[in-house]
Amino acid sequence: MPEKRNPLFEAQREKSGSTTLSKYLFQYHWALYKIITEHSNIPEYAVFLELHEDVIICNSLDANKAKFDFNQVKTTNVTFNTNQLVKSKKNGSSVLGKLVKSGSEKPFTKYINKINLIAVKDYGLELKKEGATLKTITKDDLSTKQLDELELELKKEIGVNGLPDNLQFIVTNLPETNYQLITIGAIAELINSLFPHSYTDAKNIYTTLIDELIRKGKETYDFTLWEEVLKNKALTSVQVVNVIAQFTNIKNESNIDIEFNDICKELNLKTVQSKQLRQQFNRYRTQKLSNRSTLQLDTTKNVIKLINENFSNGVTDIKDLINNVSKSLPQNIKKQFTNEQETTSAIICEFIMMN
């Protein structure tokens, strides 16, 4: 099977940030805090540090489906107004000019969902709604006067006509002080929502994840292949789930791998087939561990019920078990899976994760 190209491959704008870590500690924590607080709402994701922009968050691990949010994270405790955004320049570039340029006229521009400026204080921008205070400001929220000022300066600086429609100015919930403790607290809150009454070590989860982000953020090489950039430059939802499992009293990760490999052998799968099934298995498992939706809970309940019914009927062959459960799944459950391999991976996951 041919390897997929990295949709973000292009020489990076700058790489100095990857070697001056202390200056960027807040943005690393913002990235971790962001994915932790949204972990339950996104089936899978990858977060990149110092790759074209401060933080890039991707909504899929599939190169063919990947869309990206570009985030420039500012720790400076200032109010960003017109002067701070476009008139005050450092090294020839304004804050807004640098942000817009990072996502404009690039091969990957069409894959960008949002271009965000993240700040710790409210913005000093004039809004259409007088007296309004917004945590997220879009282009449509700006007054005509304010929009004209920003666009005029942006045109002078980088020759761009108009602000991008996907641009947002965001005030983060993560404060500039005590962000380590708040991130650890967010991890503890996430684990409690996923596994109520379980024992977990939120501090070790935090340390492992932030260390991994820092290690990968320091990587300065470019990668042509998607799997390579995920491996070397990204923290993925699969890794987050695995770290959570490592420090929480849910099923041991090594046992899961052993059981999965045993099932692949029983199914007589070849190496490529096993790899494809594992990718689907990991996607479903990430969704299962992070998603508390009614559909996910119903899926788990129905699959386990059918597995136990097959046990009671004396079924001992894993292939027969999978086929029987798949055929008996209610239509509203089965229709969420796009093919038989996805259904199989879900059944195997529920089988392995059963208490």
Side-chain angles (χ1 to χ4, degrees), residues 36-244:
I36 289 298
T37 53
E38 296 191 4
H39 181 83
S40 296
N41 303 317
I42 313 173
E44 60 182 31
Y45 55 80
V47 58
F48 304 90
L49 273 295
E50 306 299 342
L51 179 70
H52 304 305
E53 194 48 88
D54 292 342
V55 181
I56 295 178
I57 297 177
C58 175
N59 67 347
S60 178
L61 302 182
D62 185 336
N64 296 323
K65 299 177 181 177
K67 299 291 184 182
F68 307 94
D69 284 356
F70 276 40
N71 301 277
Q72 190 175 126
V73 183
K74 290 299 179 185
T75 59
T76 307
N77 194 24
V78 299
T79 298
F80 283 100
N81 52 27
T82 302
N83 185 66
Q84 291 287 347
L85 286 174
V86 290
K87 293 184 178 179
S88 177
K89 294 180 173 63
K90 183 179 180 181
N91 299 324
S93 296
S94 69
V95 170
L96 188 59
K98 185 178 177 183
L99 175 65
V100 172
K101 192 174 181 180
S102 71
S104 299
E105 299 179 353
K106 300 290 196 320
F108 49 75
T109 297
K110 61 184 177 181
Y111 303 119
I112 299 176
N113 271 333
K114 299 292 182 184
I115 301 175
N116 302 319
L117 181 65
I118 311 298
V120 295
K121 290 186 69 174
D122 289 341
Y123 290 86
L125 297 173
E126 184 179 288
L127 306 180
K128 285 180 182 176
K129 185 70 173 178
E130 189 176 346
T133 304
L134 302 177
K135 266 192 168 291
T136 299
I137 300 172
T138 67
K139 177 179 176 179
D140 289 340
D141 294 316
L142 298 174
S143 70
T144 302
K145 177 186 174 185
Q146 180 67 82
L147 185 60
D148 288 344
E149 286 181 357
L150 294 178
E151 292 185 336
L152 177 62
E153 294 298 325
L154 205 57
K155 173 70 174 176
K156 291 178 185 177
E157 182 180 346
I158 60 174
V160 171
N161 290 312
L163 289 183
D165 291 335
N166 59 351
L167 179 69
Q168 297 186 135
F169 303 97
I170 298 174
V171 181
T172 178
N173 290 325
L174 186 66
E176 199 172 6
T177 57
N178 296 321
Y179 51 79
Q180 296 97 330
L181 292 177
I182 291 172
T183 304
I184 293 171
I187 292 171
E189 187 175 339
L190 171 64
I191 305 304
N192 185 58
S193 69
L194 295 176
F195 311 107
H197 312 300
S198 65
Y199 171 77
T200 190
D201 189 338
K203 188 173 182 180
N204 268 327
I205 292 173
Y206 157 78
T207 301
T208 304
L209 293 177
I210 199 69
D211 285 352
E212 184 70 357
L213 269 179
I214 290 171
R215 184 179 72 81
K216 291 187 171 179
K218 291 162 68 176
E219 177 60 70
T220 59
Y221 283 102
D222 299 307
F223 301 95
T224 59
L225 298 177
W226 180 240
E227 290 300 324
E228 287 182 347
V229 76
L230 285 181
K231 179 182 177 181
N232 293 283
K233 196 65 177 169
L235 177 68
T236 70
S237 49
V238 173
Q239 291 173 287
V240 173
V241 167
N242 290 342
V243 171
I244 288 173

Side-chain angles (χ1 to χ4, degrees), residues 4-48:
K4 293 176 180 175
R5 297 281 296 177
N6 168 20
L8 285 175
F9 176 67
E10 186 179 331
Q12 297 178 47
R13 181 189 67 231
E14 60 182 46
K15 300 179 182 180
S16 60
S18 296
T19 56
T20 54
L21 182 59
S22 60
K23 184 179 178 181
Y24 297 100
L25 273 178
F26 180 83
Q27 76 180 39
Y28 280 87
H29 282 81
W30 180 85
L32 180 56
Y33 180 80
K34 177 72 173 177
I35 61 173
I36 289 298
T37 53
E38 296 191 4
H39 181 83
S40 296
N41 303 317
I42 313 173
E44 60 182 31
Y45 55 80
V47 58
F48 304 90

